[in-house]
Amino acid sequence: MSLAAPALAASRPREALSYDLAPHALALAMFAICAFSPAILNDGDTWSHIATGDWMLAHHAVPHVDPFTFSVAGKPWTAHEWLSELMLALAYRAGGFIGVSLLTGLAAGAAIFVVMRRVAKDLGGPALAALGAIALILLAPSLLARPHILALPVFALYVDALFAARAENRAPPLAAALLMTLWANLHGGFAFGLALVAPFALEAVVAAPPGQRVNAARGWALFGAASLVAAVLNPFGIEGLLFPVRLMGLQALAQVGEWGPESFAHPNALEAALLGLIGLALTRPLRVAPLRLVVLLGLLHLSLAHARHELLLAIVAPMLLARPMAEALNAPAAGTPSPLAGEGWGGGWLRAAASPETLLQAEPTPLPNPPPQGGRESAPDERRQAAPGAALAGLVAAVLALSVVRLFLPAPASPPYASTRAALAALPADMKMKPVLNGYAFGGYLIFEGVKPYVDGRADLFGDEFLTDYARVARGEHPTLETLLARENIGWTMFAPGQGAVAAMDAEPGWRRVYADRLVVVHARAD
């Protein structure tokens, strides 16, 4: 399938007023998951983001050097997520961690609504619900109260603008490039949006009639340039634009859990999505045109290489696959003679797909009078229609009702944060003022509690050499650990029970345990 204006869409009357209610239902489900699940707070970075937002509110400025650690205090720092951090801090001031949860739910729900509204243009019924469920499953591991979720609706709107432009054989409006300014100040994932313009632009040029290709190239080039300029509009200028590139260049990222490769040792969301897609492709003639396939395979590669990139797949893949799935579900099953192929089940299709004219812009010819299995019906069904205003009003009312319910329930608990607070309470007041050697995951909690950690989740701030040396310390390698304890005059340590540093500290002369539970172990100097 190409990004060109689809013949299939032209063969069906467009529902001008509304789509299925699935986008609304899925958006509400996503909001509820975030609003009522304590798990979205189980990441120390949430706490450091709130603390950074509080710092900005107190100083009326965006930090350009590190104000939180003692190990690299004053080192230049690109606080590229500053706008998200302000939003988190304001939500916390307004409603505590319930406010943070509701903000996260609003962002995630809005993103799902945008994605599924686009998908619902092509899919309906169980197929639409199934693709929406896959998107939710892929998003689930990334559902944390952090900037990547707050940027998600902007990501979805930007990608939706690219799809809308291709569906209408035009370049995206320059106003859509302004989304890039917002995105670049919320999260570093904006770089993916910039990169995504290229395949859309290339397909637009290839799909355009020969006499209009220059105009198509000019329109898309102008939009790409406008997006690039919009991304530079941040407190750090070019440095903010280059930040994602420099971050991806860090070799030590592989040591951070979310930046590690996906594992299939146990069932997971990506495996479920891949198996479902393979099953459909083996039973139906699922067709994806080359350029769109390159994008899909690139997203799969990113998701396999770095688990955190499954979020990108969850947003873009449903939009990419909606129409190919609709065409596949409306086509005969594999092994069944095709009404379009004169010889065998796929001969005619293969010849058409392989022809030079359709190689890059092959939008499959719609099957004659296809049965409504998974695509949208060819004639409107009034019973399935709903006025968009009423549907949206219902969604808003449901979100408000759930928000009120959530406000009257106890605040969500975060076991890692609770353990951190309990450990700090067990330390003498003067001990807490001494330098701490902490586990990577505890840095955010310590910052939130006003303790300057040795390390936290900002890998970009510390760099490869620092993080490589720190990894040896966390594993409990004695020469490196003892050198650091002496060099930094460490007064106490905080690590998770399973880390090698815990056993090393147990055996370290002059040190004793002062607190331990199932999530944290604290050692302090015996003297």
Side-chain angles (χ1 to χ4, degrees):
M1 176 183 175
S2 75
L3 303 176
L8 183 62
S11 71
R12 298 192 182 109
R14 175 167 293 184
E15 298 176 1
L17 294 180
S18 68
Y19 308 128
D20 289 341
L21 294 180
H24 304 74
L26 290 166
L28 184 61
M30 178 59 76
F31 172 78
I33 290 171
C34 294
F36 291 91
S37 173
I40 69 166
L41 298 174
N42 286 347
D43 189 292
D45 285 355
T46 298
W47 272 253
S48 61
H49 288 311
I50 295 173
T52 303
D54 278 336
W55 188 97
M56 286 186 279
L57 291 172
H59 293 81
H60 303 97
V62 176
H64 284 70
V65 297
D66 171 47
F68 297 119
T69 69
F70 74 88
S71 56
V72 293
K75 182 178 179 180
W77 172 40
T78 304
H80 65 292
E81 298 167 327
W82 70 273
L83 186 55
S84 291
E85 290 162 336
L86 271 179
M87 294 169 65
L88 287 168
L90 290 171
Y92 180 76
R93 289 190 177 189
F97 288 113
I98 293 177
V100 172
S101 298
L102 293 178
L103 174 64
T104 304
L106 286 173
I112 283 294
F113 180 78
V114 172
V115 171
M116 298 316 299
R117 185 185 61 178
R118 169 63 51 184
V119 171
K121 290 177 179 290
D122 301 305
L123 279 178
L128 173 62
L131 195 55
I134 289 175
L136 262 64
I137 291 172
L138 285 172
L139 275 176
S142 299
L143 286 180
L144 296 166
R146 286 174 47 186
H148 66 275
I149 295 297
L150 300 190
L152 214 56
V154 182
F155 175 18
L157 285 170
Y158 189 84
V159 175
D160 182 66
L162 300 183
F163 276 90
R166 289 303 304 121
E168 299 171 16
N169 278 327
R170 57 171 175 79
L174 292 181
L178 295 176
L179 289 169
M180 189 57 67
T181 297
L182 185 58
W183 193 357
N185 288 281
L186 288 168
H187 185 254
F190 73 90
F192 175 77
L194 291 174
L196 198 59
V197 173
F200 279 78
L202 178 58
E203 183 124 303
V205 173
V206 173
Q212 299 179 18
R213 287 177 179 170
V214 173
N215 287 336
R218 183 184 299 114
W220 278 89
L222 185 60
F223 174 77
S227 294
L228 190 64
V229 171
V232 180
L233 300 179
N234 67 80
F236 304 94
I238 296 296
E239 182 60 33
L241 179 66
L242 297 177
F243 173 85
V245 178
R246 293 177 178 171
L247 177 65
M248 293 299 294
L250 286 177
Q251 299 298 316
L253 277 183
Q255 301 172 23
V256 181
E258 64 182 347
W259 286 99
E262 183 59 88
S263 170
F264 294 104
H266 302 284
N268 58 49
L270 184 58
E271 179 184 10
L274 285 174
L275 290 177
L277 186 60
I278 292 171
L280 179 62
L282 290 176
T283 56
R284 297 282 176 170
L286 185 65
R287 295 180 57 194
V288 182
L291 283 175
R292 197 167 281 227
L293 181 61
V294 168
V295 173
L296 182 60
L297 293 178
L299 287 168
L300 285 172
H301 167 73
L302 288 173
S303 299
L304 291 170
H306 306 290
R308 65 177 283 155
H309 286 146
E310 289 177 25
L311 176 145
L312 304 178
L313 188 68
I315 296 298
V316 180
M319 299 190 198
L320 280 170
L321 291 172
R323 187 163 292 116
M325 286 182 62
E327 293 158 355
L329 292 170
N330 285 331
T336 303
S338 169
L340 296 184
E343 60 266 342
W345 60 269
W349 178 85
L350 289 173
R351 288 198 308 275
S355 65
E357 298 82 9
T358 59
L359 184 59
L360 291 179
Q361 59 186 70
E363 193 67 52
T365 303
L367 292 170
N369 301 318
Q373 298 180 36
R376 302 196 64 81
E377 309 245 356
S378 58
D381 183 349
E382 295 299 330
R383 291 173 299 177
R384 295 177 61 192
Q385 299 300 307
L392 188 58
L395 175 60
V396 172
V399 168
L400 289 175
L402 287 175
S403 299
V404 171
V405 171
R406 185 68 193 87
L407 288 171
F408 282 94
L409 294 176
S414 169
Y417 176 57
S419 288
T420 302
R421 292 198 66 183
L424 291 175
L427 281 171
D430 61 332
M431 182 62 70
K432 284 187 287 188
M433 302 302 295
K434 296 180 179 180
V436 57
L437 174 60
N438 60 283
Y440 189 86
F442 294 110
Y445 303 121
L446 293 173
I447 290 173
F448 186 81
E449 288 296 312
V451 176
K452 290 184 178 293
Y454 178 76
V455 68
D456 61 71
R458 296 170 293 168
D460 55 285
L461 172 66
F462 298 99
D464 277 325
E465 183 179 353
F466 182 104
L467 291 176
T468 300
D469 186 66
Y470 171 77
R472 299 190 186 99
V473 171
R475 289 194 296 266
E477 296 183 9
H478 279 281
T480 308
L481 174 60
E482 290 176 347
T483 299
L484 191 148
L485 292 174
R487 183 184 72 234
E488 301 292 345
N489 194 28
I490 299 297
W492 54 291
T493 67
M494 174 182 284
F495 287 96
Q499 291 186 274
V502 171
M505 293 305 300
D506 282 337
E508 190 70 21
W511 289 80
R512 61 184 177 89
R513 286 195 181 199
V514 296
Y515 180 86
D517 62 23
R518 65 185 184 88
L519 296 176
V520 63
V521 177
V522 175
H523 290 83
R525 289 189 182 273
D527 55 2

